[in-house]
Structures are given as C-alpha cells and as structure tokens.
Amino acid sequence: MDDKSNIIWHVHKLNKKDRARQKRQKACLLWFTGLSASGKSTTANVIEQKLFELGHHTYLLDGDNVRHGLNKDLGFSDSDRVENIRRIGEMAKLFTDAGLIVLSAFISPFCADRKMVRDLVEEGEFVEIHMATPLSVCEQRDPKGLYKKARQGEIKNFTGIDSTYEAPEKPELVINTAECDIEACADKVIAYLKQKQIIHD
Ligand code: ADP
C-alpha cells in the first residue's frame, strides 16, 4: 500500500447543500435494484425525463454503460460484483455531492453491497427502490435473450438462475412492473420525492 498520509482532504467553499439549493432540489441517490429485465433502466429513464421536464438536475448511471468504461476490467464473479458496486457507490457519492438527483440502475444483488453504498451517502439520501418484478415475468420478457442463454449454460453466474439475488429487507419503495405500467411506476417514485421534499410540489 502506498503512503497516503500526505493526501489531505480539501475543504471546498461551496458544499453539496449550496449546489442542490441552486437547482431547487435536495441531492439524493435513487438506487434501483432487481433482477435483469425487472424494469430498472426503463423506469429510471422515464423518471429522469419527468424530472428533467420539471426543471431538475439529474444523472443516470446505468449498469451496462458503466461496465463499458470505468468497470470494464471487472467480470461477474462475486468479488468483481462487490468491486463493481463499490466503484459505482463512490461515483454516485461524487455526483450526489454535486447536488444532483442520481439514478442508478444496477442489479446489485447483495444486501451487504447496497448497505455499503447506503452508508457512503448521508442519512436520508439513499432511496432504495426494489424492482420486485417476479423472475417468471423477467424471464418471459427476456429483452436481451440473456435468460435463455443462462438456462442453456452459455452464461454463468446469472442472477436469479445460478447466482443469488438478495431482496432488500426494508427498501424505501417496492415496485412490481408486472402490476403497473411504466408511467404509473415512474409516478410512484416522483410522488415519493415530493413527499420527502427532495423536489417541491
Ligand atoms: P433492467 O434494467 O431491470 O434489466 P429493462 O428496463 O432493461 O430492465 O427491461 C425491462 C423490460 O420490461 C423492457 O423491455 C420494458 O419495456 C418491459 N416492461 C414492461 N412493463 C414495464 C413496466 N411497467 N416498467 C418497466 N419496464 C416494463
């Protein structure tokens, strides 16, 4: 390990609250978790559009996109999944510090990893949204043909098939996309943000 004793945290004059106030919002991290095809990306995209139209400042971090860049050296073993989420958590924390409403859409199958991210940001900032769409529905949708490949053994460590998904115990929100359409799912989240005064009415 390199000597880090000479690296000193720089205190900036402007802080997160100032940056968020300028944008008429509170910074937060909307953390979508759920099986592949449970609707994380689709719902997060619609919410981001709605927030944009309401004049809010957002940033969407998406699983596949991050794996093409920052995390392209990581695979899908348990240890790589932990590191994947750790880096995403640190990145989301920086975006939150910029005063943004951050949306993140990653399977993030392990409770401990999500807890790690929750603990990185301030109390009340982490909004865990469990996309509780049943596996059977996700598998039937199979928009990228991944479940089929996983069932045939062509993809290993696929969440829900041969890798576990640990459902959140106390998420801030639960959304089952088999029960409501995309608009209604997105509106649930917008209503929550208003109720918690993260955005104004
Ligand atoms: P994930 O990001 O969780 O892997 P995606 O959003 O990429 O999931 O895919 C979800 C699929 O389910 C899309 O093809 C989407 O059109 C479909 N879908 C059907 N109903 C809904 C809904 N109510 N909310 C979100 N997605 C839905």
Side-chain angles (χ1 to χ4, degrees):
M1 205 55 138
D2 295 337
D3 178 15
K4 299 215 172 61
S5 60
N6 291 323
I7 302 175
I8 295 157
W9 189 264
H10 197 95
V11 180
H12 299 264
K13 290 232 168 70
L14 280 177
N15 63 29
K16 172 167 51 182
K17 275 211 172 96
D18 298 320
R19 297 184 198 102
R21 192 169 358 101
Q22 185 195 43
K23 304 175 203 324
R24 297 187 173 81
Q25 63 193 32
K26 282 190 192 148
C28 72
L29 172 54
L30 304 179
W31 190 271
F32 295 83
T33 170
L35 298 170
S36 178
S38 60
K40 300 180 296 295
S41 287
T42 310
T43 313
N45 265 290
V46 174
I47 293 165
E48 191 182 29
Q49 271 172 346
K50 284 179 184 271
L51 289 172
F52 183 88
E53 276 155 28
L54 291 168
H56 291 290
H57 296 238
T58 58
Y59 197 76
L60 172 56
L61 299 167
D62 195 291
D64 286 352
N65 299 354
V66 174
R67 280 192 176 273
H68 282 299
L70 178 68
N71 290 354
K72 69 176 172 194
D73 56 325
L74 301 176
F76 291 89
S77 65
D78 284 3
S79 62
D80 276 6
R81 280 178 196 259
V82 174
E83 178 59 10
N84 183 46
I85 298 301
R86 190 193 69 78
R87 289 186 200 171
I88 291 161
E90 290 288 353
M91 185 166 53
K93 182 180 176 172
L94 291 174
F95 280 107
T96 312
D97 196 49
L100 300 177
I101 295 173
V102 184
L103 303 95
S104 79
F106 302 92
I107 297 174
S108 48
F110 305 129
C111 286
D113 302 345
R114 297 191 301 264
K115 167 89 167 56
M116 171 177 72
V117 181
R118 186 185 283 274
D119 291 344
L120 276 177
V121 294
E122 276 178 50
E123 179 92 35
E125 276 181 2
F126 188 81
V127 180
E128 190 171 27
I129 304 169
H130 180 204
M131 302 305 282
T133 313
L135 174 65
S136 57
V137 176
C138 297
E139 192 164 0
Q140 206 178 357
R141 288 180 181 162
D142 206 9
K144 298 175 192 157
L146 299 176
Y147 282 100
K148 190 161 174 240
K149 284 190 184 164
R151 287 285 183 204
Q152 289 168 346
E154 287 171 37
I155 305 177
K156 293 268 175 261
N157 301 323
F158 197 77
T159 305
I161 306 298
D162 57 352
S163 184
T164 20
Y165 178 76
E166 297 171 2
E169 279 174 17
K170 278 195 206 155
E172 275 70 17
L173 281 168
V174 179
I175 293 178
N176 178 351
T177 63
E179 285 172 355
C180 53
D181 68 18
I182 298 172
E183 277 293 307
C185 291
D187 284 341
K188 270 193 188 178
V189 178
I190 299 284
Y192 178 88
L193 296 178
K194 286 183 178 168
Q195 185 207 329
K196 294 289 173 190
Q197 298 184 331
I198 291 168
I199 62 173
H200 48 79
D201 245 325

